[in-house]
Amino acid sequence: MKIVTDARTFTAECAWGARDLAEVEGATVRLHWTDQPYRWHVNDGAEVFVVLEGEVEMRYREAGEEKSVRLGPADMFVAEAGDAHVAHPLGEARVLVIERKGSV
């Protein structure tokens, strides 16, 4: 059993540092802290991205066109396999990411 009471205050030593919370049938559940953008990437499976604290501008490509959406606490972004996307926090952010184990 694991109880997480610091999701709103969790920090890491570097941007996108994470705490592994669980593995569920080949998927990882991780709590991330960041204050820097990630990098454009494409996952080999679905990814669920939940903002817990802060705001994140999620940029993504749809039909070759770059788009973006601003996410706040409790907002979610679901990328399917092959969807190019990148998260840009607006200040500090804490996010919960659920994705296939070993996905980048």
Side-chain angles (χ1 to χ4, degrees), residues 13 19 29 39 42-43 50 58 60 66 74 77 91 97 101:
E13 292 182 16
R19 178 188 301 158
V29 180
R39 59 178 170 73
V42 174
N43 296 82
V50 183
M58 183 64 78
Y60 58 99
E66 187 174 320
F77 180 85
V97 176
K101 184 177 181 177

Side-chain angles (χ1 to χ4, degrees), residues 25-104:
E25 298 191 21
T28 59
V29 180
R30 304 180 86 197
L31 174 61
H32 288 268
W33 171 87
T34 191
D35 62 353
Q36 299 295 315
Y38 196 58
R39 59 178 170 73
W40 279 99
H41 65 287
V42 174
N43 296 82
D44 58 358
E47 174 184 353
V48 178
F49 184 97
V50 183
V51 177
L52 300 175
E53 189 74 17
E55 289 186 300
V56 175
E57 179 187 6
M58 183 64 78
R59 299 177 188 175
Y60 58 99
R61 293 189 183 117
E62 190 172 67
E65 183 181 334
E66 187 174 320
K67 298 182 177 187
S68 70
V69 62
R70 193 174 190 155
L71 305 171
D75 289 338
M76 300 176 209
F77 180 85
V78 179
E80 298 296 335
D83 289 343
H85 59 286
V86 60
H88 283 255
L90 306 172
E92 286 190 27
R94 288 156 187 89
V95 297
L96 187 70
V97 176
I98 304 162
E99 63 188 348
R100 179 179 292 171
K101 184 177 181 177
S103 192
V104 292

Side-chain angles (χ1 to χ4, degrees), residues 5-32:
T5 60
D6 67 342
R8 290 184 174 181
T9 59
F10 169 73
T11 58
E13 292 182 16
C14 62
W16 294 102
R19 178 188 301 158
D20 291 333
L21 299 176
E23 186 176 322
V24 180
E25 298 191 21
T28 59
V29 180
R30 304 180 86 197
L31 174 61
H32 288 268

